[in-house]
Amino acid sequence: LLGPAVGQTGVAIRIGHGEEDAGFAAPARAVWRPILATPIFPRVTPALDRLAAALADRYRIERELGHGGMATVYIAQDLKHDRQVAVKVLRPDLAAVLGAERFLAEIKITASLDHPHILTLIDSGAADGFLYYVMPFVRGESLRARLDRERQLGLDEAITITRHVASALDYAHQRGVVHRDIKPENILIHEGEAMLTDFGIALAVTQ
């Protein structure tokens, strides 16, 4: 990154509790830290190159958003619908254990879930050894990030989140779908609304 002065090199360090995961991106302020080093270029790994090539006809992978215990999340451009999406790619070891057929069969069950407090699954597939599923890219934060920042929620907000999550679970349970991995990381907050995510992967991994 070019610094404020000609020839200066540095990095922009994110400060705060901004989180980029599960289809969410939260803002965080950047502080300039000059360093004495060679110019910095985006890091491109062979796996990312292979993923980009495997999905090139449908999605343009732009960058990694974050990763968890089961998957890595990328922001991508949906080429057909000209929109940003979040592509979650299972870890290679987990993909090998599940297998494409089982993964796609399980995740198909959750694709029909249509509820205002469930983050919609809009696509899934297998390509060049990768197992992936796609969700809308929504700006916000997880309940975990919120709790880490504020420690305790106000009573009204806590009740609202509980009602939203309970409504989503009741809807899914009536259709025979059990999440199996309810935790703050899988509850996303956006403009006062709580949404559950990762129904598909939780179901597939625990079957």
Side-chain angles (χ1 to χ4, degrees):
L1 300 175
L2 294 180
V6 176
Q8 184 179 358
T9 309
V11 294
I13 301 176
R14 292 177 51 152
I15 304 297
H17 293 272
E19 177 178 289
E20 293 185 325
D21 196 3
F24 268 61
R29 62 190 178 91
V31 177
W32 181 262
R33 293 287 186 267
I35 57 174
L36 298 176
T38 56
I40 300 172
F41 298 95
R43 180 174 62 90
V44 179
T45 65
L48 182 55
D49 271 345
R50 191 163 61 88
L51 174 65
L55 301 183
D57 61 332
R58 303 177 71 177
Y59 303 102
R60 184 175 66 248
I61 303 296
E62 296 181 352
R63 60 188 174 91
E64 181 180 324
L65 288 178
H67 59 272
M70 295 186 291
T72 301
V73 190
Y74 300 91
I75 183 172
Q77 188 72 15
D78 181 340
L79 300 178
K80 181 178 180 179
H81 301 102
D82 192 24
R83 60 182 175 180
Q84 282 191 320
V85 295
V87 178
K88 279 203 166 187
V89 182
L90 266 62
R91 288 195 340 246
D93 56 335
L94 185 56
V97 171
L98 286 175
E101 184 177 354
R102 175 182 169 190
F103 169 76
L104 295 175
E106 294 293 351
I107 209 155
K108 184 178 180 180
I109 297 173
T110 67
S112 61
L113 295 179
D114 183 14
H115 187 275
H117 299 298
I118 294 177
L119 194 62
T120 307
L121 178 71
I122 56 179
D123 193 15
S124 62
D128 195 18
F130 295 105
L131 300 181
Y132 68 92
Y133 58 107
V134 183
M135 300 176 298
F137 177 67
V138 184
R139 295 186 179 275
E141 64 180 346
S142 72
L143 179 58
R144 168 57 61 207
R146 184 70 174 276
L147 291 173
D148 286 346
R149 187 178 72 253
E150 299 185 5
R151 298 299 178 187
Q152 184 173 344
L153 301 177
L155 179 60
D156 288 344
E157 184 177 17
I159 291 174
T160 296
I161 292 173
T162 301
R163 284 175 173 168
H164 291 173
V165 172
S167 175
L169 290 174
D170 180 60
Y171 169 85
H173 292 171
Q174 289 183 33
R175 287 152 182 79
V177 179
V178 180
H179 191 290
R180 292 185 173 89
D181 194 25
I182 298 296
K183 57 186 179 182
E185 289 81 355
N186 286 335
I187 299 172
L188 308 174
I189 310 297
H190 176 61
E191 297 182 350
E193 300 289 318
M195 290 180 285
L196 275 177
T197 186
D198 279 357
F199 265 94
I201 184 61
L203 180 64
V205 170
T206 55
Q207 282 290 337

